[in-house]
Amino acid sequence: MKWMEREGTVGIRIEVQRWSKVVVLAALLLAAAPSVWATVYIRIQAPAIRIETHEERHGYVWQSGYWRWQGQRHEWTAGHFAREKHGRHWSDGRWERSDRGYYWVGGSWR
């Protein structure tokens, strides 16, 4: 920033062009940053899904419980209601198998 005098007052001249280049560069770096999520493969198959009973709730969808890997074993995470998203539907997460082992595919709105 450079100081300048204008009509008897002291103001700050902001170099807009320079700052806009910095903002654009920061946005590009963030967009190009690698994802922090890595696929974790495990050799132990998850237990069978637990059947959870629930009553319907107007304006909400049921997100089923699932087996979550906790480093050395699976732990059950209970299902819960989530507010509906107009025009979209919830797809539950699931365990998939590949030649590298089992991996989790998280649930999502579609």
Side-chain angles (χ1 to χ4, degrees):
M1 291 188 241
K2 297 180 181 177
W3 290 94
M4 62 179 248
E5 274 190 47
R6 178 186 281 173
E7 300 173 4
T9 62
V10 176
I12 298 175
R13 179 176 155 216
I14 300 174
E15 298 177 10
V16 175
Q17 187 177 23
R18 181 171 140 201
W19 282 106
S20 64
K21 288 179 183 176
V22 170
V23 169
V24 169
L25 179 61
L28 288 172
L29 288 173
L30 286 173
S35 174
V36 296
W37 298 105
T39 301
V40 175
Y41 295 91
I42 61 173
R43 297 199 182 274
I44 302 169
Q45 183 177 4
I49 294 294
R50 290 183 182 174
I51 303 300
E52 299 174 299
T53 59
H54 59 279
E55 297 200 16
E56 296 297 317
R57 286 180 60 187
H58 180 71
Y60 289 84
V61 296
W62 179 254
Q63 295 180 343
S64 298
Y66 61 94
W67 288 103
R68 181 171 41 111
W69 182 249
Q70 285 298 103
Q72 296 182 14
R73 63 187 170 97
H74 289 93
E75 286 186 7
W76 180 252
T77 300
H80 62 276
F81 283 101
R83 191 173 292 279
E84 266 182 340
K85 292 189 178 187
H86 181 69
R88 302 178 78 186
H89 73 275
W90 175 254
S91 178
D92 283 328
R94 67 197 180 280
W95 283 98
E96 293 282 338
R97 185 177 181 191
S98 77
D99 57 343
R100 296 175 71 185
Y102 297 93
Y103 63 97
W104 176 249
V105 178
S108 63
W109 290 97
R110 298 175 191 235

